[in-house]
């Protein structure tokens, strides 16, 4: 058995069929996580915009693999979390996503 200093927890998001392509949902972890379906692939980032904590899952817009913040229109690459348009300057945290038995999970360190 391998031990690590940090343990990882799988947090269930929803069933695969509940998050259709081009959509985003939120997991109410602390801090919350936005989970996206982009062309059938699942990705997860911090839900709060790094500019001023707008909820990207509630108020953002997905286009061309990017999430645009609904408050001041910063854009982020959903796959990498990188800023692609200001006024945000810090990238979004990224989370690993796993699909297990037809459900989507995010990996959260504790
Ligand atoms: S809160 Fe997102 S750009 Fe300002």
């Amino acid at each position: 058995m391998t031990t690590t200093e940090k343990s990882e927890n799988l947090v269930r998001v929803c069933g695969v069929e509940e998050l259709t392509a081009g959509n985003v949902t939120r997991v109410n972890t602390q801090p919350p996580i936005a989970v996206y379906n982009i062309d059938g692939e699942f990705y997860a980032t911090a839900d709060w915009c790094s500019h001023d904590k707008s909820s990207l899952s509630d108020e953002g817009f997905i286009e061309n693999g990017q999430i645009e913040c609904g408050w001041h229109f910063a854009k982020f690459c959903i796959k990498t979390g990188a800023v692609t348009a200001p006024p945000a300057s810090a990238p979004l945290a990224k989370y690993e996503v796993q699909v297990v038995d037809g459900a989507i999970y995010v990996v959260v360190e504790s």
Side-chain angles (χ1 to χ4, degrees):
M1 182 173 169
T2 303
T3 58
T4 58
E5 290 187 14
K6 295 179 182 177
S7 64
E8 295 181 340
N9 296 318
L10 291 182
V11 177
R12 189 181 190 279
V13 180
C14 63
V16 167
E17 71 286 348
E18 297 176 75
L19 183 58
T20 55
N23 287 299
V24 58
T25 190
R26 180 178 60 232
V27 184
N28 289 317
T29 49
Q30 288 300 325
I33 298 172
V35 183
Y36 312 81
N37 180 337
I38 304 299
D39 298 328
E41 299 290 328
F42 299 106
Y43 302 95
T45 69
D47 182 53
W48 287 338
C49 177
S50 63
H51 178 241
D52 199 16
K53 290 192 175 180
S54 164
S55 169
L56 296 170
S57 61
D58 276 349
E59 305 192 58
F61 305 93
I62 297 173
E63 189 173 71
N64 297 326
Q66 299 175 87
I67 182 80
E68 180 179 39
C69 177
W71 283 12
H72 312 108
F73 312 114
K75 293 183 181 179
F76 303 89
C77 174
I78 290 169
K79 292 182 181 178
T80 67
V83 177
T84 57
S89 57
L92 300 174
K94 283 284 303 159
Y95 297 87
E96 181 184 340
V97 178
Q98 295 183 10
V99 175
V100 180
D101 293 334
I104 304 165
Y105 293 83
V106 289
V107 180
V108 179
E109 290 182 353
S110 57

